């Protein structure tokens, strides 16, 4: 091994093993997973994402939501008991995610099933705009840069965020309107629901 | 290093030094610049977790952009460039060869830094890919790869044109690192950023990339240096040298497999996670051998910054792998907690950064013929070591407590946030000390260069003989 060619061969082979085992295997096996179609109901799982949710994934990635929020419900832990979701997640759950934001930390709560816990878009907008007001003690940053404070001229916009009370709440005569990015992000968050069944996943548990 | 019997046409160290002086100093200078910036960003993002109102509501300063910017600045700006610069110098020295010309390397250094600038601006501007340690937007990573092509080519030329027979273990590590980096970096970029595979397949590839970045890129660069500077500083050969080659193959085979262990119980194939756990535990074997090689060679009281920094760095490496061994027993509690961040601090700021500091203290005086001010090295050493250790320990202890809170069904999520707070505060203080130490080092580095303003064109006088 003290000659360059044989050393290069060894170095290449050592690397090729994990390259084939992890990358090529994932590419071939997991990369070809298909949605599960229930023969009786015709229901597709995981369900297709609403158009805006795909844009919302980009907003989620661009603002680094994954640095604090995981999207995994693990088996053999208290995750289901802590109501992070009705069942542990499996590889196929991430079929439509790009990027798949599994996350490594829970500086903030897990968001795998945030769309099951919060079903009201306005509620999510409030939490993004003034998280520390909605949840006292929260260390989540405010995403108010994804919103516009506008003077109400004539009729108020139907999209304005309701119920803001914190220091950045709109003064009288003003309203806070989500930008396209904020609306996409909220549509994406609302779409995060793993309440469908898959043959390889554990059955759903009622909360 | 008796294996390195010189052939007749081998060049003197002064000549090989002179041939790589400009590119190596350029890589080092840029690396130190990014170190200071990365450490500052790391402190700011750590502080934001403690005081979320701090600089809040500004898009480009939001935590989710600042934290990845800090990580990427430290990895691609600081550690990679310091490692590349050191690697070039070691290859020239060990091969007793001189670089034919440095124009291509200087261009590559400029382009690499352009890639880092574009990438960091991309992250804070909101074009992050959202994939850990690959947050640079695709076009920035492409610039890095193009710059890398020139660097990798030259390292191969330096190896091929070596005039010493045989290959020392440092050259093994460098050859391997310079071959592996473009392979795994391009693979991950293509499959996750440019032509993303579907979501189900992304997690294992991203985890594989993460472990490769450490074990098949930064660690080999750092270890190559450690194997060179320790015997030089101690004036004796590596203890149990043949084991170093065994350790090399251990790192080579296990490094790539160890990644998927981060998804224990996660939605990736169980066999892959098992392989990841096994590989990350088995890493203890090569790492122990490396420990015997290196610490076995260090004898007597530690004198000078080189051995002090490299020693701390290698101790952190062993600590991080010891954590891998412990992992199966405690992962249920530590997963998703600050404990994970703590281990990251131990690897990136402890193992990689400390070792690289030692290498810079060894190389820069030899390249410039100027010594670092002895007083400055002490401040630098204690500030960064204590800062890193404070951050690591507080995150580890805090992470365990937070982890129990996250695990316990009877405890609310907000309680876990409250429990982690004091430890995050301590960690932020540690980051501040680390930043101060880094700044101190940068100032003494600039001071040294200013004293040696005539460093270019090639200085005739030589520093320590090696």
């Amino acid at each position: 091994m003290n000659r360059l060619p044989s050393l290069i061969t060894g170095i290449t082979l050592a690397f090729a093993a994990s390259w084939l085992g992890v990358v090529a295997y994932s590419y071939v096996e997991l990369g070809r997973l298909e949605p599960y179609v229930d023969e009786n109901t015709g229901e597709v799982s995981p369900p297709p994402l609403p158009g805006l949710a795909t844009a919302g994934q980009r907003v989620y990635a661009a603002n680094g939501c994954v640095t604090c929020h995981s999207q995994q419900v693990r088996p053999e832990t208290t995750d289901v008991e802590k109501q992070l979701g009705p069942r542990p997640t499996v590889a196929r759950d991430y079929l439509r995610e790009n990027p798949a934001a599994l996350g490594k930390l829970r500086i903030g709560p897990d968001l795998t099933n945030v769309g099951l816990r919060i079903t009201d878009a306005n509620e999510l907008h409030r939490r993004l705009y003034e998280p520390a007001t909605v949840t006292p003690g929260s260390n989540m940053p405010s995403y108010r840069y994804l919103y516009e404070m506008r003077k109400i001229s004539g009729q108020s916009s139907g999209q304005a965020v309701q119920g803001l009370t914190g220091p950045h709440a709109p003064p009288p005569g003003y309203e806070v309107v989500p930008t396209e990015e904020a609306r996409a992000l909220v549509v994406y968050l609302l779409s995060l629901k793993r309440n469908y069944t898959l043959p390889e996943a554990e059955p759903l548990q009622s909360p | 290093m008796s294996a390195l019997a010189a052939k007749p046409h081998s060049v003197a160290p002064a000549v090989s030094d002179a041939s790589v002086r400009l590119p190596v100093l350029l890589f080092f200078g840029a690396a130190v610049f990014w170190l200071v910036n990365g450490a500052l960003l790391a402190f700011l993002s750590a502080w934001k977790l403690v005081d979320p109102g701090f600089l809040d509501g500004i898009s480009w300063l939001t935590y989710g952009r600042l934290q990845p910017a800090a990580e990427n600045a430290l990895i691609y700006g600081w550690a990679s460039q310091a490692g590349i610069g050191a690697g070039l110098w070691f290859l020239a020295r060990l091969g007793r060869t001189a670089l034919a010309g440095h124009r291509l390397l200087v261009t590559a250094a400029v382009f690499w830094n352009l890639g880092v600038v574009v990438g960091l601006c991309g992250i804070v501007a909101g074009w992050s890919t959202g994939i850990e340690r690959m947050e640079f937007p695709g076009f920035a990573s492409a610039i890095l790869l193009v710059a890398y092509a020139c660097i990798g080519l030259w390292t191969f030329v330096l190896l091929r044109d070596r005039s010493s027979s045989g290959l020392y273990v440092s050259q093994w590590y460098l050859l391997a690192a310079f071959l592996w980096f473009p392979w795994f970096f391009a693979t991950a970029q293509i499959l996750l950023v440019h032509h993303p595979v579907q979501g189900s397949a992304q997690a294992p590839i991203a985890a594989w990339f993460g472990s490769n970045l450490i074990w098949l890129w930064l660690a080999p660069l750092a270890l190559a240096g450690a194997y060179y500077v320790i015997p030089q500083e101690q004036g004796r050969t590596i203890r149990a040298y043949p084991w170093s080659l065994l350790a090399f193959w251990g790192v080579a085979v296990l490094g790539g497999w160890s990644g998927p262990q981060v998804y224990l119980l996660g939605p990736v194939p169980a066999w892959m996670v098992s392989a990841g756990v096994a590989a990350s535990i088995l890493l203890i074997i090569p790492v122990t051998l490396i420990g015997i090689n290196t610490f076995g060679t260090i004898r007597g009281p530690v004198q000078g910054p080189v051995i002090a920094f490299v020693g701390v760095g290698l101790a952190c490496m062993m600590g991080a792998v010891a954590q891998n061994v412990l992992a199966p027993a405690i992962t249920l509690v530590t997963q998703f907690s600050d404990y994970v961040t703590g281990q990251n601090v131990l690897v990136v700021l402890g193992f990689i950064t400390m070792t690289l500091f030692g290498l810079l203290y060894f190389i820069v005086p030899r390249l410039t013929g100027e010594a670092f001010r002895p007083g400055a090295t002490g401040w630098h050493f204690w500030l960064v070591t204590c800062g890193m250790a404070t951050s690591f320990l507080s995150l580890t202890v805090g992470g365990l407590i937070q982890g129990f809170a996250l695990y316990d069904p009877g405890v609310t999520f907000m309680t876990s946030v409250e429990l982690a707070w004091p430890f995050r505060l301590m960690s932020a203080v540690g980051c501040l000390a680390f930043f101060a130490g880094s700044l101190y080092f940068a100032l003494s580095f600039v001071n040294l260069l200013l004293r040696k303003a005539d460093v270019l064109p090639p200085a005739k006088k030589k520093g320590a003989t090696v």
Side-chain angles (χ1 to χ4, degrees):
Chain A
M1 278 294 174
N2 244 355
R3 296 167 53 87
L4 217 44
S6 48
L7 188 59
I8 290 175
T9 311
I11 286 168
T12 307
L13 287 177
F15 182 81
S18 79
W19 189 77
L20 286 172
V22 178
V23 179
Y25 176 89
S26 300
Y27 183 79
V28 172
E29 290 295 317
L30 301 175
R32 286 183 192 166
L33 281 177
E34 292 194 351
Y36 173 71
V37 183
D38 191 304
E39 283 176 10
N40 301 320
T41 61
E43 202 180 331
V44 180
S45 307
L49 285 179
L52 206 50
T54 315
Q57 285 182 339
R58 304 310 308 172
V59 182
Y60 190 91
N63 291 286
C65 304
V66 69
T67 46
C68 292
H69 296 282
S70 63
Q71 283 191 34
Q72 305 177 45
V73 180
R74 298 163 300 170
E76 300 163 47
T77 64
T78 53
D79 281 3
V80 173
E81 198 180 342
K82 290 198 91 166
Q83 303 189 355
L84 301 187
R87 62 165 173 80
T89 44
V90 294
R92 194 154 25 176
D93 285 322
Y94 301 87
L95 202 71
R96 304 185 194 279
E97 301 292 314
N98 187 29
L102 275 72
K104 278 165 72 177
L105 294 172
R106 284 181 184 162
I107 296 173
D110 185 271
L111 296 180
T112 316
N113 289 290
V114 66
L116 291 177
R117 292 197 295 272
I118 304 171
T119 49
D120 172 25
N122 189 66
E123 169 76 7
L124 280 172
H125 282 304
R126 277 183 63 216
R127 284 169 184 265
L128 288 165
Y129 188 85
E130 46 178 30
T133 305
V134 179
T135 314
S138 163
N139 57 0
M140 176 167 152
S142 164
Y143 291 90
R144 55 181 180 270
Y145 58 84
L146 295 176
Y147 295 81
E148 277 171 31
M149 180 98 71
R150 275 193 214 155
K151 196 164 187 182
I152 304 174
S153 50
Q155 210 171 358
S156 107
S157 158
Q159 293 177 338
V161 183
Q162 305 297 316
L164 296 173
T165 56
H168 295 278
Y174 286 82
E175 62 183 1
V176 166
V177 181
T179 60
E180 185 75 8
E181 283 182 300
R183 280 192 290 128
L185 179 59
V186 164
V187 169
Y188 171 62
L189 292 172
L190 289 172
S191 81
L192 288 172
K193 295 184 259 193
R194 308 295 178 200
N195 58 345
Y196 47 84
T197 50
L198 289 173
E200 71 271 29
E202 287 177 25
L204 299 179
Q205 308 213 348
S206 47
Chain B
M1 274 180 277
S2 54
L4 299 176
K7 284 181 194 168
H9 63 281
S10 72
V11 300
V15 179
S16 79
D17 277 12
S19 77
V20 294
R21 180 174 292 126
L22 181 61
V24 170
L25 283 180
L26 199 55
F27 276 118
F28 283 176
V32 171
F33 172 80
W34 290 118
L35 167 74
V36 173
N37 283 282
L40 177 62
L41 292 172
F43 163 68
L44 290 178
S45 62
W47 190 256
K48 276 172 153 285
L49 277 191
V50 177
D51 176 14
F54 175 65
L55 302 174
D56 191 33
I58 306 164
S59 63
W60 51 280
L61 285 177
T62 193
Y63 179 82
R65 300 188 191 178
L66 217 50
Q67 199 275 341
E71 285 262 313
N72 284 279
L74 286 173
I75 289 201
Y76 298 102
W78 153 245
S80 294
Q81 292 203 84
I84 289 171
L88 288 170
W89 187 81
F90 290 128
L91 286 176
R93 269 279 175 113
L94 279 163
R96 302 187 186 192
T97 180
L99 210 58
H102 56 228
R103 225 171 262 164
L104 189 64
L105 270 179
V106 170
T107 314
V110 171
F111 265 86
W112 182 280
N113 283 287
L114 180 71
V116 175
V117 171
V118 171
L120 291 176
C121 290
I123 292 175
V124 296
W127 297 318
S128 163
T129 64
I131 302 160
E132 199 188 16
R133 287 180 181 164
M134 296 176 66
E135 283 97 344
F136 282 177
F139 46 88
S141 308
I143 300 175
L144 285 185
L145 259 182
V146 170
Y148 180 80
C150 309
I151 300 166
L153 193 70
W154 271 120
T155 59
F156 188 74
V157 169
L158 276 173
L159 262 172
R160 193 203 55 191
D161 292 350
R162 72 193 188 282
S163 55
S164 52
S165 63
L167 286 165
Y168 181 61
V169 67
S170 295
Q171 289 163 303
W172 290 39
Y173 275 115
L174 290 170
L175 172 66
F178 284 112
L179 278 176
W180 287 329
F181 177 75
W183 195 350
F184 75 74
F185 191 78
T187 301
Q189 286 294 334
I190 290 168
L191 293 182
L192 296 177
V193 178
H194 293 277
H195 299 282
V197 291
Q198 76 174 15
S200 311
Q202 287 182 7
I205 298 173
W208 172 84
F209 173 82
S211 66
N212 283 348
L213 195 60
I214 298 299
W215 286 107
L216 300 189
W217 172 237
L218 298 178
L221 292 177
L223 290 172
Y227 273 111
Y228 184 85
V229 301
I230 289 174
Q232 294 283 356
E233 285 277 306
Q234 295 286 308
R236 59 174 70 89
T237 52
I238 283 285
R239 184 177 182 185
Y241 178 75
W243 290 4
S244 69
L245 307 182
L246 197 61
F248 169 84
W249 290 116
V251 170
V253 170
L254 299 170
W257 282 103
S258 64
Q261 63 126 347
V262 300
Y263 292 124
L264 192 73
L265 299 177
V268 292
W271 69 264
M272 211 182 266
V273 175
S274 306
V277 171
S280 60
I281 291 174
L282 287 173
L283 269 175
I284 197 75
I285 298 170
V287 158
T288 306
L289 295 179
I290 293 166
I292 293 170
N293 283 154
T294 52
F295 288 111
T297 310
I298 301 170
R299 269 172 249 160
V302 172
Q303 282 177 331
V306 176
I307 295 293
F309 274 106
V310 172
V312 171
L314 294 172
C316 290
M317 168 189 73
M318 300 177 77
V321 176
Q323 283 189 313
N324 287 351
V325 177
L326 270 177
I330 57 170
T331 308
L332 280 186
V333 170
T334 57
Q335 202 175 19
F336 303 128
S337 80
D338 288 356
Y339 183 91
V340 178
T341 317
Q343 191 176 17
N344 186 34
V345 167
L346 192 62
V347 171
V348 176
L349 298 188
F351 170 29
I352 304 293
T353 296
M354 289 295 176
T355 311
L356 289 173
F357 279 141
L359 305 189
L360 261 66
Y361 274 114
F362 184 86
I363 297 170
V364 173
R366 284 167 174 78
L367 263 184
T368 59
E370 268 318 315
F372 280 98
R373 294 228 173 101
T377 57
W379 275 102
H380 172 216
F381 179 80
W382 288 111
L383 278 170
V384 292
T385 304
C386 294
M388 180 272 298
T390 306
S391 184
F392 163 69
L393 289 172
S394 48
L395 288 170
T396 301
V397 175
L400 283 168
I401 295 170
Q402 179 205 9
F404 275 111
L406 286 172
Y407 194 80
D408 188 339
V411 176
T412 63
F413 183 82
M414 275 312 293
T415 309
S416 77
V417 177
E418 285 156 19
L419 288 171
W421 191 84
F423 299 97
R424 286 174 178 160
L425 176 65
M426 288 294 293
S427 168
V429 172
C431 287
L432 183 61
F434 188 88
F435 164 66
S438 301
L439 190 61
Y440 211 90
F441 176 65
L443 292 176
S444 76
F445 182 78
V446 169
N447 180 285
L448 183 150
L449 289 185
L450 289 179
R451 273 184 283 144
K452 187 65 189 173
D454 61 332
V455 64
L456 309 161
K460 287 286 176 280
K461 71 175 169 182
K462 235 180 59 57
T465 41
V466 175

